[in-house]
Amino acid sequence: FRSLMHEPTETVPSLVAPGEEAEIPFHAVFDERMRSVPLVSVYNSAVTVRVGERSLPDDQYQARVVVRGRNDWDGRVSTLRNFVVPEDSGVVRFSRTSLSGSKSRLDSLPPSMQNIEKARILFSEFAKRLVYIHDPMESRDYVQYPPETLSLRGGDCDDFAVAYSALLMSAGIAAAFVDVVPPGDSGNAHVYVMFDTGL
């Protein structure tokens, strides 16, 4: 993983008594290069174990790890949040530009109605500029990041849900995904966006 990390990730030390067995969870911390993995890739990894304050490892384990490409998606709605990037400069620019033209209208509304009006304005601008397009090769496991959807001016249901959520969140409106799966017809599942109306 060295090509995806600035430095190895260290796990907090655990105390294991002699003869005792323990399961010690560990996590890897990757840098921004993780987002640039284009396709499913296999990486060699190494887990090193040290006992006490020794500088040399007491044990080392090599493993191969599959890293999904930056646009690969496992199909679970709960993982779509990983694609939502409300802090992206293109997303912030889109939402600020869309809302700035309606500043006087927003200022005239009571605070309880502002989230709904902001969401309506963002949706209207979003719908005007983008076109629904199927994923490449009709892949159901491919999701565009919001800046990609905005710059390509199109995407599918998942891409739109992710991009619209990012726009809402960049305007300070909490959003969530809803997965609707018809009974007995999971092939026609659909993702919707739910947001905090403030009411």
Side-chain angles (χ1 to χ4, degrees):
F1 283 133
R2 289 192 190 275
S3 62
L4 300 176
M5 295 175 151
H6 287 302
E7 57 189 46
T9 306
E10 292 191 16
T11 301
V12 176
S14 296
L15 182 61
V16 181
E20 182 183 359
E21 288 186 15
E23 197 169 299
I24 302 169
F26 65 93
H27 305 277
V29 178
F30 301 99
D31 60 33
E32 66 282 348
R33 291 175 288 184
M34 179 61 102
R35 286 192 178 182
S36 65
V37 175
L39 304 168
V40 174
S41 304
V42 178
Y43 289 85
N44 291 320
S45 68
V47 177
T48 303
V49 179
R50 289 188 182 88
V51 178
E53 297 294 322
R54 299 177 188 169
S55 59
L56 295 175
D58 289 286
D59 197 6
Q60 190 166 359
Y61 176 74
Q62 300 285 330
R64 288 189 160 197
V65 178
V66 175
V67 175
R68 295 179 71 98
R70 73 181 306 265
N71 292 103
D72 287 343
W73 176 45
D74 63 7
R76 293 181 299 143
V77 170
S78 61
T79 59
L80 273 180
R81 71 172 190 260
N82 299 320
F83 292 91
V84 180
V85 289
E87 71 284 352
D88 177 82
S89 61
V91 171
V92 172
R93 190 178 319 105
F94 186 103
S95 64
R96 299 298 184 266
T97 302
S98 299
L99 295 173
S100 66
S102 301
K103 183 178 180 341
S104 58
R105 165 107 176 103
L106 288 167
D107 289 345
S108 70
L109 293 172
S112 61
M113 295 300 294
Q114 289 189 1
N115 277 6
I116 290 176
E117 185 60 16
K118 285 179 184 177
R120 188 194 66 73
I121 292 165
L122 290 172
F123 187 82
S124 178
E125 285 301 311
F126 190 70
K128 266 195 261 181
R129 300 185 197 185
L130 283 84
V131 175
Y132 182 89
I133 301 167
H134 285 290
D135 279 339
M137 298 181 295
E138 295 193 33
S139 166
R140 297 188 61 195
D141 300 322
Y142 179 94
V143 176
Q144 295 170 173
Y145 282 87
E148 294 171 315
T149 301
L150 296 175
S151 72
L152 293 171
R153 295 180 173 251
D156 73 354
C157 148
D158 310 323
D159 304 325
F160 280 12
V162 167
Y164 186 56
S165 294
L167 291 171
L168 290 168
M169 292 170 71
S170 75
I173 302 171
F177 297 116
V178 178
D179 191 17
V180 176
V181 183
D185 190 13
S186 61
N188 281 321
H190 200 67
V191 177
Y192 293 90
V193 176
M194 186 169 61
F195 67 91
D196 180 7
T197 63
L199 296 175

